Amino acid sequence: MDASLEKIADPTLAEMGKNLKEAMKMLEHSQRRTEEENGKKLVSGDIPGPLQGRIQNIGEQGHIALLGHSLGAYISTLDKEKLRKLTTRILSDTTLWLCRIFRYENGCAYFHEEEREGLAKICRLALHSCYEDFVVDGFNVLYNKKPVIYLSAAARPGLGQYLCNQLGLPFPCLCRVPCNTMFGSQHQMDVAFLEKLIKEDLERGKLPLLLVANAGTAAVGHTDKIGRLKELCEQYGIWLHVEGVNLATLALGYVSSSVLAATKCDSMTLTPGPWLGLPAVPAVTLYKHDDPALTLVAGLTSNKPADKLRALPLWLSLQYLGLDGIVERIKHACQLSQRLQESLKKVNHIKILVEDELSSPVVVFRFFQELPGSDPVPTTVPVPNMAPSTVGRERHSCDALNRWLGEQLKQLVPASGLTVMDLEVEGVCIRFSPLTTAAVLGTRGEDVDQLVACIQSKLPVLTCTLQLREEFKQEVTGTAGLLYVDDPNWPGIGVVRYEHANDDKSSLKLDPEGEKIHAGLLKKLNELESDLTFKMGPEYKSMKSCIYVGMASDDVDISELVETIAVTAREIEENSRLLENMTEVVRKGIQEAQVQLQKANEERLLEEGVLRQIPVVGSVLNWFSPVQASQKGRTFNLTAGSLESTEHTYVYKAQGAGVTPPQTPSGTRAKQRLPGQKPFKRSLRGSDALSETSSVSHVEDLEKLEHLSGAPEPDGLEPSGPEPHPGAPPPQEAERTGAFQNGAQRPEDDRPQVEEPESLR
């Protein structure tokens, strides 16, 4: 950098070089002055306020690029002549360096902030080159012979619409070229079909104007057959423009032949900012054209010094990194891709979508597994009506699992810079593109190893979940009261909904009663402390609530899981019905109690006679002959929903138990769970992996539990006499005594006969 500035004889420029050198020293000195806080090193000149400590560490090369913007504002204050010389030198040096680094001989450069802006200028240049009277006649020239811009089906989304908006062209001027369907990569442009489209457009009187090829598609990083496309463009006089992330490999010693052919194209767009980890650095479009007047009209060149100063941040960064630094960063990104690719080859159930295994800087992979029972070679002819639905269901299931895997990996290894994308043919995939992320995130080889380890740790969860899905569906379908919900976007075991008694199956409206039952069910399931996760949400395109069962990390007993869901939901529904009917039952009970008390009062009056109701006479009669009146009242049994007399309470000084409430229903498998065993785990009985001693002991434990749970209660209760005990008897004894006396008129039995209401069974 100092050598290039010393060549300029102007003392003002030399002074600026000295100031720049001092700024570099100040920058290095400020980076050494750091303070340790929370285990991190923060630059002492950090921005105060809410942004303090939140700015990404951009490194020295990043500070150089940012310094270029401030330096450009300082340079713009020079006088016009000095400013013209300096900006011309900066622009020419940067253009020369970029052309040499990326093997593009005798090219010109256009620096722009928006990546697509350079292609729009190139299209304008092609219009002026093909239509000589375009400046004078404008739209009339295009109307007589419409231009056609050819884009690949794998191009960046929205690129064609952007070009039409910038150029003022209608959308029919765009031609979408499909990718290969039979031979070659499914993300490469079909050259034979392109030639057919060009011939058809020529027959219709149209003008093939420009072709946009990809050296690394935006999705999977595949490269078109640029050499064959260049021959086709030369044959029909079409401008060839190339863009893509694989153009960065042109700076390396070894370049694949498909990418090397891009050096012969008419123009290409480079993005050195993401490749080298440089913030606020413009993109560059390199092109070849001999007419400076047309380039000026198209906007590719400018006489304004401010436009030329756009190259200053990149000029400083290139000098700071040097050729070795630039090559090292790009080479490091490619090595990360190769390292991940070699590691994923050894991992089962991972499919890699790579075009060139030797030099591809982008790795795209996805999880896949054949469903149980599926044969690699089918023995029967598949039914046409069933094959698409089956394939679609399998793809949706794998897409949900791959989406979950990608999100988990992004959280566990943030330095990897992974991207989850949905491809048209393959489905949801995970992309690792270190050329665009490694320099910014500081990705290292250890991060790639950690990424592979995380993938291997998540594979058992994915395979186990995928295997249990069909079993879960069959169990739910065969269980009364449960409905299986097919949600292709859920990555867990499955989705289930409980159908209560008042559920309207034909309606998709909001169901408050069902939502209340599912909310209680979700709470009960989460209280079991199992390894499964449960969530509640609306069904796809429906307002009804469902229970979403999450991923399974171990062998899960699906029968116990489904049984627990059904039994718990049924219990919650019965309890909710009891609470809802409680108000009506209590109201009717109060009315009945009032009627019975009124009748009892009338009977008491008839018993005592009229004379005892007269104030003076009644007192005298009561003094000579007192009445032995018993205290009568009514008590309301909430469990049975009936009125009972309080005579038992006053006689025996204790309340009766009434009707015994029903026991809480529970699954039989929950009772046989061994100590320390979590819910929904398969039983260890019959396992070959256990030793004989452990198997026998576990079987004995299970048999004991079954014997205790199924053994009848001893009935050695003896009815006690009618005389009350002097002290307060125990509640159980009082209940047994009261029950015996209430049933004295029935045939003798050694146990109280308890009759449960029909609604509570």
Side-chain angles (χ1 to χ4, degrees), residues 127 131 134 138-151 159-176 206 209:
L127 285 173
Y131 297 92
F134 181 69
F139 179 76
N140 293 329
V141 179
L142 303 181
Y143 180 77
N144 297 327
K145 200 172 186 180
K146 297 179 181 179
V148 182
I149 300 176
Y150 299 93
L151 297 176
L159 180 60
Q161 183 179 2
Y162 173 83
L163 293 177
C164 290
N165 293 337
Q166 294 295 320
L167 301 174
L169 297 177
F171 289 147
C173 292
L174 296 176
C175 182
R176 184 183 177 92
K206 298 181 179 180
L209 180 67

Side-chain angles (χ1 to χ4, degrees), residues 659-676:
V659 180
T660 305
Q663 296 182 354
T664 303
S666 60
T668 57
R669 293 176 176 83
K671 297 180 181 179
Q672 300 177 359
R673 191 178 303 121
L674 296 176

Side-chain angles (χ1 to χ4, degrees), residues 186-411:
Q186 296 181 349
H187 301 275
Q188 285 183 344
M189 187 183 301
D190 193 340
V191 181
F193 198 87
L194 172 63
E195 185 175 7
K196 178 182 177 182
L197 292 175
I198 293 175
K199 293 179 179 179
E200 291 178 355
D201 291 335
L202 290 175
E203 293 176 357
R204 297 172 184 173
K206 298 181 179 180
L207 177 64
L209 180 67
L210 183 137
L211 171 64
V212 181
N214 292 306
T217 56
V220 297
H222 288 196
T223 303
D224 293 329
K225 300 175 181 178
I226 300 179
R228 181 70 180 92
L229 294 177
K230 178 59 180 176
E231 297 175 359
L232 198 63
C233 290
E234 290 179 350
Q235 179 181 354
Y236 294 97
I238 303 175
W239 186 289
L240 178 61
H241 179 84
V242 182
E243 60 179 14
V245 68
N246 292 353
L247 292 176
T249 59
L250 290 172
L252 302 179
Y254 170 78
V255 187
S256 62
S257 58
S258 58
V259 179
L260 188 61
T263 58
K264 305 298 181 182
C265 65
D266 298 310
S267 60
M268 66 170 64
T269 297
L270 309 175
T271 54
W275 299 345
L276 306 177
L278 303 175
V281 168
V284 185
T285 296
L286 303 179
Y287 63 96
K288 297 177 182 179
H289 201 270
D290 299 333
D291 194 345
L294 292 181
T295 57
L296 182 62
V297 173
L300 290 170
T301 57
S302 175
N303 295 325
K304 298 180 180 179
D307 295 336
K308 297 180 180 180
L309 282 176
R310 293 179 183 174
L312 181 57
L314 187 57
W315 182 75
L316 291 175
S317 301
L318 293 178
Q319 293 195 79
Y320 176 80
L321 293 173
L323 179 60
D324 295 338
I326 296 172
V327 173
E328 181 63 28
R329 287 176 178 268
I330 299 176
K331 184 178 180 180
H332 173 68
C334 295
Q335 290 175 350
L336 292 177
S337 298
Q338 297 299 320
R339 187 170 185 170
L340 178 62
Q341 181 179 338
E342 293 297 329
S343 300
L344 290 181
K345 288 180 180 179
K346 306 174 184 178
V347 181
N348 296 328
H349 307 298
I350 294 295
K351 181 180 180 181
I352 308 176
L353 308 176
V354 180
E355 175 193 17
D356 188 358
E357 296 184 356
L358 300 177
S359 61
S360 177
V362 181
V363 179
V364 179
F365 61 94
R366 73 190 307 264
F367 165 79
F368 81 101
Q369 184 182 14
E370 295 182 358
L371 293 178
S374 60
D375 299 331
V377 180
T379 56
T380 58
V381 180
V383 182
N385 297 332
M386 297 298 295
S389 61
T390 305
V391 173
R393 190 182 303 110
E394 293 180 7
R395 173 174 173 175
H396 284 308
S397 300
C398 290
D399 287 350
L401 295 176
N402 280 282
R403 192 177 291 107
W404 177 86
L405 176 62
E407 296 298 332
Q408 291 290 320
L409 295 177
K410 287 167 61 177
Q411 295 178 4

Side-chain angles (χ1 to χ4, degrees), residues 42 45-56:
L42 301 178
D46 201 358
I47 301 176
L51 295 179
Q52 187 172 6
R54 300 184 181 182
I55 302 298
Q56 187 178 4

Side-chain angles (χ1 to χ4, degrees), residues 444-461:
R444 302 174 301 173
E446 292 78 4
D447 298 324
V448 175
D449 297 338
Q450 182 184 359
L451 178 62
V452 176
C454 292
I455 293 175
Q456 293 177 343
S457 65
K458 298 298 179 181
L459 283 180
V461 181

Side-chain angles (χ1 to χ4, degrees), residues 449-585:
D449 297 338
Q450 182 184 359
L451 178 62
V452 176
C454 292
I455 293 175
Q456 293 177 343
S457 65
K458 298 298 179 181
L459 283 180
V461 181
L462 296 171
T463 54
C464 186
T465 301
L466 193 59
Q467 292 174 357
L468 294 175
R469 279 189 167 187
E470 188 63 27
E471 183 181 355
F472 179 79
K473 180 179 179 181
Q474 294 177 0
E475 287 288 341
V476 172
T477 306
T479 304
L482 295 183
L483 176 65
Y484 179 80
V485 180
D486 190 5
D487 189 351
N489 297 322
W490 177 247
I493 295 179
V495 187
V496 61
R497 186 174 75 225
Y498 177 72
E499 294 181 325
H500 55 90
N502 300 327
D503 190 5
D504 188 3
K505 302 179 181 179
S506 60
S507 176
L508 298 178
K509 296 182 180 179
L510 183 64
D511 184 13
E513 183 179 356
E515 185 176 357
K516 184 178 180 181
I517 294 176
H518 285 88
L521 177 60
L522 177 64
K523 183 179 179 181
K524 291 287 185 180
L525 292 175
N526 289 329
E527 290 175 355
L528 295 178
E529 297 182 356
S530 65
D531 293 336
L532 296 175
T533 58
F534 301 93
K535 295 182 180 180
M536 187 180 72
E539 181 186 351
Y540 181 66
K541 293 183 179 180
S542 172
M543 297 298 293
K544 294 185 178 181
S545 299
C546 303
I547 295 297
Y548 289 76
V549 186
M551 311 286 288
S553 58
D554 201 353
D555 199 7
V556 178
D557 193 343
I558 297 298
S559 302
E560 179 185 353
L561 171 64
V562 175
E563 180 184 358
T564 303
I565 293 176
V567 170
T568 308
R570 195 176 301 116
E571 174 191 355
I572 295 174
E573 182 184 10
E574 293 175 355
N575 293 338
S576 63
R577 286 182 183 178
L578 180 61
L579 293 177
E580 290 174 358
N581 299 332
M582 187 66 66
T583 305
E584 184 66 20
V585 173

